[in-house]
Amino acid sequence: MNRQMCSSNGPSPDSCGPLTDYYIPDYILKPDSEKRVVDHPPSCPVVVFINSRSGGQLGSSLIKTYRELLNEAQVFDLSEEGPDKVLHRIYCNFEKLKSNGDTLAFEIQKSLRLIVAGGDGTASWLLGVVSDLKLSQPPPIATVPLGTGNNLPFSFGWGKKNPATDQVAVESFLGQVKRAREMNIDSWHIIMRMRIPQEGPCDPIAPLDLPHSLHAFHRVSDTDSLNMEGYHTFRGGFWNYFSMGMDAQVSYEFHSERKRNPEKFKNQLTNQGTYAKLGLKQGWFAASLTHPSSRNIAQLATLKIMKRPGGKWEELKIPRSIRSIVCLNLPSFSGGFNPWGTPGTRKVQDRDLTPPYVDDGLIEVVGFRDAWHGLVLLAPNGHGTRLAQAHRLRFEFHKGAAEHTFMRIDGEPWKQPLPKEDDTVVVEISHLRQVAMLATDPCKSKSINDPSSPCHPHDDDDTNSLEDEDEWENGRKKFGAAATFKLPDDVDIAHLS
């Protein structure tokens, strides 16, 4: 560590205080290191995980800066070592040191905070690892926006633009992490099960074997309790969203193109522009002409939901025009849009809908017809087609409906082959515990236990409702009250992802 104090001219909101507040000595991080006497335990010890391949060259630059400011041993490059191995090693060492009466180890474990810098997929990777460790006191997590959409950081106040990587910027971020508040959010478990096909594999196909791809979704082992003889079973988890259809297909092609031509994806703005171009190229702005209706969600699968814990399964009617379905946990999707919005008074009374809390054990299910429908999110009070809120969901795919579909979990897309002869392909999503995030202002996420969260619906939402699907069943009549719809002056269509 080069400096003991952050560069600051007196107290300020951006001051991070002494760098020793964040410093963790070697012997805590490395089991075989010599023990060192420390006068005072750090008030905000951090372990930093950075995906060096995110954000063009920003990831590598960020690693360099954090290692200059902190102990190099507490800053990890995820392209070299996964967070599961790192945290398992550190927490095993915590227990060993505490059993020997080491009070510093106890204090650091109690106040430890994690920082993860990368895209949404990288952040979800760490969230999954922390959840799987099943710690009695799991460390809360702050997210640095180094991806394209950055929905997770944006949801908790960390912004969506790629950050500066100089020492002043990193010191400011450390100060925010120290002052950040903890917020619990729901974790969601996803299982997909299908009969072993007579021919051909059905494993998820990642976009050109991206680094760390599909760590959030994989086949269970033979010894896993979920494994069933004669079936392929896949499992995963998510914290932001699961989506299927149109948006996942665009994301899949984006990741594939980035892998083929990494030199073209050096900054966030270029990436967002490429995303929009791919949507145009794939024909999603004229989906009724360029894509067969067999790819629509209702033709592909039946959706059943359980609205509350212990309730009954009931079939949810999906309008035939829906080509993309999003199961949303946080109020940010595709770079900061909120597809659910806030239901108006009539919607609450008629359909038992609520604002989208991140810790209420419910997930919001939203549908989109095409890319034009997605543009409605740019309008005031714009939202997708609200289909339901549920505690559990189950997609049952129709036999032979399609050879494959596209799915996405928290920014990680994949192509999912579907066996033609199997009539029991099922994807089930259920609530599974909670995980702690670090939030700062302005935080978009709302807790059901927070008095400042919106308890009452907005009366003006219904005036702009686009949920009457009748006029869409036989083709688009108007695009969201086209006579009055206007993109805000400060909105660049290239930012649509």
Side-chain angles (χ1 to χ4, degrees):
M1 181 173 64
N2 293 337
R3 295 182 294 166
Q4 294 300 308
M5 295 291 292
C6 294
S7 56
S8 176
N9 298 320
S12 74
D14 295 329
S15 175
C16 71
L19 286 172
T20 50
D21 285 353
Y22 311 92
Y23 188 88
I24 302 177
D26 274 350
Y27 87 93
I28 298 288
L29 301 161
K30 302 176 181 179
D32 299 327
S33 299
E34 182 179 352
K35 185 174 181 179
R36 172 188 167 191
V37 177
V38 178
D39 294 335
H40 302 286
S43 60
C44 182
V46 295
V47 172
V48 185
F49 296 96
I50 300 174
N51 187 344
S52 60
R53 301 178 183 179
S54 294
Q57 303 300 321
L58 293 180
S60 298
S61 179
L62 208 56
I63 289 175
K64 181 176 180 292
T65 304
Y66 270 100
R67 286 178 174 171
E68 289 172 350
L69 295 174
L70 305 173
N71 183 351
E72 289 187 11
Q74 69 189 94
V75 182
F76 297 91
D77 184 347
L78 290 173
S79 68
E80 298 176 356
E81 188 174 19
D84 48 346
K85 294 181 179 178
V86 172
L87 291 179
H88 187 269
R89 181 171 66 245
I90 291 175
Y91 274 88
C92 284
N93 200 38
F94 275 145
E95 296 307 314
K96 176 183 175 182
L97 293 171
K98 290 192 299 181
S99 67
N100 293 329
D102 192 308
T103 56
L104 181 63
F106 176 83
E107 292 295 332
I108 288 179
Q109 180 180 359
K110 184 174 67 173
S111 54
L112 181 66
R113 296 189 161 193
L114 305 182
I115 297 173
V116 57
D120 288 330
T122 300
S124 294
W125 186 14
L126 180 61
L127 285 167
V129 168
V130 171
S131 296
D132 288 344
L133 287 174
K134 298 179 181 178
L135 302 168
S136 58
Q137 188 178 0
I141 300 168
T143 53
V144 181
L146 271 191
T148 301
N150 298 318
N151 295 294
L152 273 164
F154 184 67
S155 295
F156 297 97
W158 301 108
K160 55 183 176 180
K161 292 184 178 180
N162 294 164
T165 60
D166 58 276
Q167 290 191 353
V168 173
V170 170
E171 290 166 358
S172 175
F173 186 83
L174 286 171
Q176 286 182 287
V177 170
K178 182 195 290 187
R179 296 185 294 273
R181 63 188 182 276
E182 293 188 33
M183 175 180 283
N184 288 331
I185 67 170
D186 294 324
S187 299
W188 294 90
H189 189 222
I190 178 169
I191 296 176
M192 181 169 67
R193 182 172 286 137
M194 64 182 72
R195 295 185 189 276
I196 297 176
Q198 296 177 3
E199 55 183 54
C202 276
D203 289 279
I205 302 173
L208 299 183
D209 297 323
L210 283 170
H212 311 308
S213 61
L214 299 186
H215 51 253
F217 192 72
H218 53 83
R219 189 200 298 258
V220 303
S221 65
D222 293 339
T223 58
D224 194 295
S225 60
L226 290 173
N227 186 57
M228 288 179 60
E229 187 175 352
Y231 287 81
H232 285 327
T233 303
F234 303 86
R235 72 182 302 177
F238 67 94
W239 293 264
N240 189 3
Y241 63 85
F242 164 81
S243 68
M244 180 170 63
M246 171 181 65
D247 70 288
Q249 183 173 346
V250 175
S251 178
Y252 183 87
E253 182 57 34
F254 171 83
H255 282 274
S256 299
E257 184 67 23
R258 184 166 62 177
K259 181 64 176 177
R260 286 190 290 262
N261 302 291
E263 71 281 355
K264 296 181 180 179
F265 296 81
K266 292 299 185 182
N267 65 73
Q268 188 180 22
L269 186 60
T270 299
N271 294 354
Q272 291 170 335
T274 302
Y275 222 118
K277 291 175 184 176
L278 288 171
L280 286 167
K281 181 180 178 181
Q282 291 185 4
W284 290 114
F285 282 93
S288 59
L289 300 176
T290 59
H291 292 273
S293 60
S294 59
R295 295 187 184 182
N296 295 6
I297 301 299
Q299 280 72 24
L300 188 66
T302 297
L303 176 57
K304 296 181 179 179
I305 63 171
M306 183 185 295
K307 290 187 176 181
R308 296 292 186 271
K312 296 181 179 180
W313 287 103
E314 53 187 88
E315 184 172 334
L316 180 67
K317 180 184 177 183
I318 303 176
R320 295 192 303 272
S321 58
I322 296 297
R323 292 179 175 85
S324 181
I325 195 164
V326 183
C327 303
L328 193 69
N329 187 44
L330 302 181
S332 180
F333 177 74
S334 286
F337 296 116
N338 183 358
W340 186 258
T342 302
T345 305
R346 182 170 61 83
K347 291 289 185 289
V348 171
Q349 294 174 346
D350 295 348
R351 300 181 56 195
D352 190 26
L353 301 180
T354 69
Y357 299 116
V358 300
D359 56 353
D360 59 356
L362 298 176
I363 196 165
E364 284 70 43
V365 186
V366 187
F368 291 95
R369 295 176 285 269
D370 52 24
W372 290 113
H373 192 186
L375 287 178
V376 173
L377 299 180
L378 294 170
N381 300 320
H383 57 81
T385 299
R386 300 185 185 113
L387 298 174
Q389 287 174 303
H391 185 70
R392 295 178 68 182
L393 301 93
R394 185 163 62 205
F395 293 91
E396 298 177 353
F397 289 84
H398 304 314
K399 181 178 179 179
E403 293 182 355
H404 63 265
T405 186
F406 292 88
M407 299 180 179
R408 183 162 63 143
I409 288 178
D410 290 358
E412 284 195 345
W414 73 93
K415 183 179 179 179
Q416 182 58 57
L418 298 171
K420 294 182 179 181
E421 69 276 7
D422 187 8
D423 58 356
T424 58
V425 180
V426 172
V427 172
E428 186 165 321
I429 297 171
S430 57
H431 184 263
L432 182 71
R433 300 188 299 271
Q434 292 185 330
V435 67
M437 298 295 293
L438 287 172
T440 187
D441 293 326
C443 178
K444 302 294 182 182
S445 298
K446 302 298 181 183
S447 169
I448 195 170
N449 300 310
D450 185 352
S452 65
S453 295
C455 298
H456 303 288
H458 296 304
D459 291 333
D460 60 353
D461 175 79
D462 293 326
T463 61
N464 291 320
S465 175
L466 299 173
E467 295 195 13
D468 186 356
E469 291 293 328
D470 293 339
E471 64 170 322
W472 291 82
E473 292 298 345
N474 298 315
R476 179 165 56 255
K477 292 184 178 179
K478 285 186 177 180
F479 166 47
T484 57
F485 183 86
K486 183 177 181 294
L487 295 182
D489 294 334
D490 59 346
V491 171
D492 182 355
I493 192 173
H495 286 72
L496 179 68
S497 57

PDB file of all heavy atoms in Angstrom, residues 7-17 179:
ATOM      1  N   SER A   7      -6.349  10.984  -0.689  1.00  0.00           N
ATOM      2  CA  SER A   7      -6.089  12.372  -1.068  1.00  0.00           C
ATOM      3  C   SER A   7      -7.374  13.167  -0.903  1.00  0.00           C
ATOM      4  O   SER A   7      -8.338  12.979  -1.612  1.00  0.00           O
ATOM      5  CB  SER A   7      -5.625  12.446  -2.521  1.00  0.00           C
ATOM      6  OG  SER A   7      -6.558  11.849  -3.377  1.00  0.00           O
ATOM      7  N   SER A   8      -7.407  14.051   0.069  1.00  0.00           N
ATOM      8  CA  SER A   8      -8.601  14.855   0.330  1.00  0.00           C
ATOM      9  C   SER A   8      -8.203  16.093   1.091  1.00  0.00           C
ATOM     10  O   SER A   8      -7.390  16.044   2.007  1.00  0.00           O
ATOM     11  CB  SER A   8      -9.621  14.046   1.135  1.00  0.00           C
ATOM     12  OG  SER A   8     -10.719  14.841   1.473  1.00  0.00           O
ATOM     13  N   ASN A   9      -8.729  17.235   0.724  1.00  0.00           N
ATOM     14  CA  ASN A   9      -8.460  18.484   1.414  1.00  0.00           C
ATOM     15  C   ASN A   9      -9.508  18.693   2.486  1.00  0.00           C
ATOM     16  O   ASN A   9     -10.492  19.385   2.292  1.00  0.00           O
ATOM     17  CB  ASN A   9      -8.459  19.649   0.428  1.00  0.00           C
ATOM     18  CG  ASN A   9      -7.366  19.510  -0.612  1.00  0.00           C
ATOM     19  OD1 ASN A   9      -6.254  19.095  -0.280  1.00  0.00           O
ATOM     20  ND2 ASN A   9      -7.672  19.860  -1.865  1.00  0.00           N
ATOM     21  N   GLY A  10      -9.305  18.081   3.627  1.00  0.00           N
ATOM     22  CA  GLY A  10     -10.264  18.193   4.702  1.00  0.00           C
ATOM     23  C   GLY A  10     -11.450  17.287   4.499  1.00  0.00           C
ATOM     24  O   GLY A  10     -11.573  16.622   3.479  1.00  0.00           O
ATOM     25  N   PRO A  11     -12.391  17.259   5.475  1.00  0.00           N
ATOM     26  CA  PRO A  11     -13.550  16.379   5.380  1.00  0.00           C
ATOM     27  C   PRO A  11     -14.430  16.764   4.187  1.00  0.00           C
ATOM     28  O   PRO A  11     -14.644  17.929   3.902  1.00  0.00           O
ATOM     29  CB  PRO A  11     -14.280  16.627   6.715  1.00  0.00           C
ATOM     30  CG  PRO A  11     -13.264  17.244   7.610  1.00  0.00           C
ATOM     31  CD  PRO A  11     -12.337  18.012   6.726  1.00  0.00           C
ATOM     32  N   SER A  12     -14.934  15.763   3.499  1.00  0.00           N
ATOM     33  CA  SER A  12     -15.857  15.985   2.384  1.00  0.00           C
ATOM     34  C   SER A  12     -16.673  14.725   2.205  1.00  0.00           C
ATOM     35  O   SER A  12     -16.294  13.655   2.670  1.00  0.00           O
ATOM     36  CB  SER A  12     -15.088  16.305   1.103  1.00  0.00           C
ATOM     37  OG  SER A  12     -14.482  15.137   0.581  1.00  0.00           O
ATOM     38  N   PRO A  13     -17.819  14.835   1.506  1.00  0.00           N
ATOM     39  CA  PRO A  13     -18.645  13.652   1.274  1.00  0.00           C
ATOM     40  C   PRO A  13     -17.903  12.554   0.534  1.00  0.00           C
ATOM     41  O   PRO A  13     -18.249  11.387   0.644  1.00  0.00           O
ATOM     42  CB  PRO A  13     -19.804  14.212   0.439  1.00  0.00           C
ATOM     43  CG  PRO A  13     -19.847  15.664   0.742  1.00  0.00           C
ATOM     44  CD  PRO A  13     -18.426  16.064   0.974  1.00  0.00           C
ATOM     45  N   ASP A  14     -16.877  12.929  -0.262  1.00  0.00           N
ATOM     46  CA  ASP A  14     -16.151  11.936  -1.044  1.00  0.00           C
ATOM     47  C   ASP A  14     -14.941  11.371  -0.312  1.00  0.00           C
ATOM     48  O   ASP A  14     -14.261  10.496  -0.832  1.00  0.00           O
ATOM     49  CB  ASP A  14     -15.688  12.554  -2.369  1.00  0.00           C
ATOM     50  CG  ASP A  14     -16.858  12.933  -3.259  1.00  0.00           C
ATOM     51  OD1 ASP A  14     -17.894  12.244  -3.171  1.00  0.00           O
ATOM     52  OD2 ASP A  14     -16.745  13.901  -4.016  1.00  0.00           O
ATOM     53  N   SER A  15     -14.631  11.905   0.886  1.00  0.00           N
ATOM     54  CA  SER A  15     -13.456  11.433   1.609  1.00  0.00           C
ATOM     55  C   SER A  15     -13.640   9.990   2.046  1.00  0.00           C
ATOM     56  O   SER A  15     -14.698   9.604   2.556  1.00  0.00           O
ATOM     57  CB  SER A  15     -13.215  12.328   2.831  1.00  0.00           C
ATOM     58  OG  SER A  15     -12.154  11.814   3.603  1.00  0.00           O
ATOM     59  N   CYS A  16     -12.589   9.198   1.853  1.00  0.00           N
ATOM     60  CA  CYS A  16     -12.713   7.788   2.247  1.00  0.00           C
ATOM     61  C   CYS A  16     -12.030   7.508   3.568  1.00  0.00           C
ATOM     62  O   CYS A  16     -12.086   6.402   4.088  1.00  0.00           O
ATOM     63  CB  CYS A  16     -12.137   6.879   1.152  1.00  0.00           C
ATOM     64  SG  CYS A  16     -10.350   6.937   1.004  1.00  0.00           S
ATOM     65  N   GLY A  17     -11.350   8.546   4.160  1.00  0.00           N
ATOM     66  CA  GLY A  17     -10.657   8.320   5.415  1.00  0.00           C
ATOM     67  C   GLY A  17      -9.343   7.590   5.189  1.00  0.00           C
ATOM     68  O   GLY A  17      -8.882   7.426   4.058  1.00  0.00           O
ATOM     69  N   ARG A 179     -19.731   4.033   3.609  1.00  0.00           N
ATOM     70  CA  ARG A 179     -20.964   4.676   4.083  1.00  0.00           C
ATOM     71  C   ARG A 179     -22.234   3.990   3.597  1.00  0.00           C
ATOM     72  O   ARG A 179     -23.338   4.341   4.034  1.00  0.00           O
ATOM     73  CB  ARG A 179     -20.969   6.138   3.633  1.00  0.00           C
ATOM     74  CG  ARG A 179     -19.872   6.989   4.231  1.00  0.00           C
ATOM     75  CD  ARG A 179     -20.009   8.445   3.826  1.00  0.00           C
ATOM     76  NE  ARG A 179     -19.804   8.637   2.391  1.00  0.00           N
ATOM     77  CZ  ARG A 179     -18.621   8.837   1.813  1.00  0.00           C
ATOM     78  NH1 ARG A 179     -17.534   8.873   2.569  1.00  0.00           N
ATOM     79  NH2 ARG A 179     -18.517   9.018   0.520  1.00  0.00           N
TER      80      ARG A 179
END
